Amino acid sequence: MEKSKCQVGINYLWKGLLDLLFPPREVCPLCGEKSPGAVICEDCLGWLEKYKTMPYCPVCGRFIETGASEGGVRGSFPPCIFCKNKRPYFNAARAPAPYRGVLHDAVLQLKSRGTGQVVSALARLMAETVRRESIYSRVEMIIPVPLSSKRYAARGFNQAELLAVELGRILDLPVDNGTVFKIKETRPQTSLSRVERIQNLQDSFSIIPNKIPGKIVLLVDDVITTGSTVENISIKLREARVKEIYVLTAAGGFFTI
């Protein structure tokens, strides 16, 4: 745990030094277009705004496109077919917008470079979601989805941990990166079916339950699509007697009905 916390601190200090030597360009952190102050530009804000009124599954948070319109009363739909058939082990999941468009590009940038500008922008959007959704009001601690040691060594950072640390700073919540570990290297999830993703991640996470029994936790990741990663971690958290599990990601899934 201490090594991981130390590494995050070193990464942030290094990025801060680089920002002093080479000030970040004044561009939108999501789309890369010119934006004074390097804030999210008006075009991206407009793109994000429509998802504040798009209906979604109240359980997994997938955004629901009705085909006729992208608007609607947010949260007005019943649980989606996936959650109706099999209720997940986590209580609920949310995201600011679906994994598409500028948010898709921003998450890819986050995974490849972990730059402070995109981390900060995505964490602020996630914090807005927390403040808008009453389900998060009783959360006591944040847990980032971990990477395997091999993947962490290759990448040099864990993008979920970067988001969790910044989110914890914004919301004034403690971040626990010493409870959940990925103990098994798995195949990349992107090319796998829903069933294969679940099988791929079975028994790949381990929990050190010292501080979490009875807690209400917020599980943070960069993106949720099928939900297999957070579902597998939630199973382990339930076994460790966590009281409630809420999931928050920078980008979410979607489907059309």
Side-chain angles (χ1 to χ4, degrees):
M1 176 175 68
E2 294 303 321
K3 182 178 178 182
S4 180
K5 286 183 177 178
C6 181
Q7 184 64 52
V8 172
I10 290 171
N11 285 347
Y12 264 78
L13 286 173
W14 178 243
K15 290 178 189 300
L17 178 60
L18 288 177
D19 285 346
L20 286 174
L21 296 174
F22 308 100
R25 295 187 308 148
E26 292 204 339
V27 298
C28 172
L30 299 188
C31 69
E33 294 296 321
K34 186 176 180 180
S35 178
V39 297
I40 298 176
C41 70
E42 291 298 321
D43 286 345
C44 287
L45 287 174
W47 183 86
L48 290 162
E49 188 68 24
K50 64 185 179 183
Y51 293 107
K52 291 181 180 179
T53 57
M54 177 178 282
Y56 60 84
C57 171
V59 182
C60 69
R62 286 182 179 89
F63 291 88
I64 301 169
E65 295 179 324
T66 61
S69 171
E70 291 190 339
V73 180
R74 189 169 167 83
S76 61
F77 274 64
C80 70
I81 187 171
F82 304 107
C83 296
K84 191 179 296 184
N85 290 340
K86 185 180 184 298
R87 187 84 179 192
Y89 281 83
F90 55 84
N91 293 78
R94 298 288 188 270
Y99 186 48
R100 60 181 2 173
V102 294
L103 207 53
H104 174 272
D105 296 342
V107 169
L108 291 183
Q109 182 186 162
L110 170 70
K111 287 177 184 254
S112 63
R113 288 181 280 175
T115 54
Q117 281 181 303
V118 73
V119 170
S120 178
L122 293 176
R124 287 198 303 272
L125 292 175
M126 294 164 75
E128 287 177 15
T129 302
V130 167
R131 290 165 177 154
R132 189 169 59 238
E133 298 275 358
S134 61
I135 61 172
Y136 293 114
S137 61
R138 296 184 299 117
V139 165
E140 299 172 276
M141 63 193 299
I142 299 173
I143 297 178
V145 169
L147 290 178
S148 67
S149 56
K150 182 178 179 181
R151 187 72 59 84
Y152 190 98
R155 185 172 291 174
F157 62 89
N158 174 7
Q159 70 276 7
E161 189 172 47
L162 295 180
L163 290 172
V165 168
E166 182 65 10
L167 190 64
R169 185 190 67 78
I170 296 170
L171 299 176
D172 194 26
L173 285 171
V175 177
D176 185 340
N177 55 9
T179 289
V180 182
F181 297 90
K182 191 171 184 184
I183 58 175
K184 185 176 75 173
E185 189 67 34
T186 55
R187 289 185 293 162
Q189 294 278 87
T190 52
S191 61
L192 303 180
S193 69
R194 180 181 177 83
V195 173
E196 288 172 333
R197 288 184 181 211
I198 295 171
Q199 294 173 341
N200 185 45
L201 290 169
Q202 280 183 347
D203 300 320
S204 60
F205 296 100
S206 177
I207 303 287
I208 297 176
N210 298 345
K211 295 179 289 184
I212 59 174
K215 293 289 186 179
I216 300 173
V217 304
L218 178 62
L219 192 58
V220 166
D221 204 0
D222 54 353
V223 63
I224 181 172
T225 49
T226 64
S228 53
T229 298
V230 293
E231 178 72 342
N232 273 273
I233 294 174
S234 295
I235 291 171
K236 294 294 183 181
L237 290 173
R238 291 294 186 190
E239 291 173 354
R241 294 182 289 113
V242 165
K243 185 177 180 180
E244 295 176 30
I245 305 162
Y246 296 95
V247 177
L248 180 68
T249 58
F254 59 93
F255 64 93
T256 302
I257 58 174

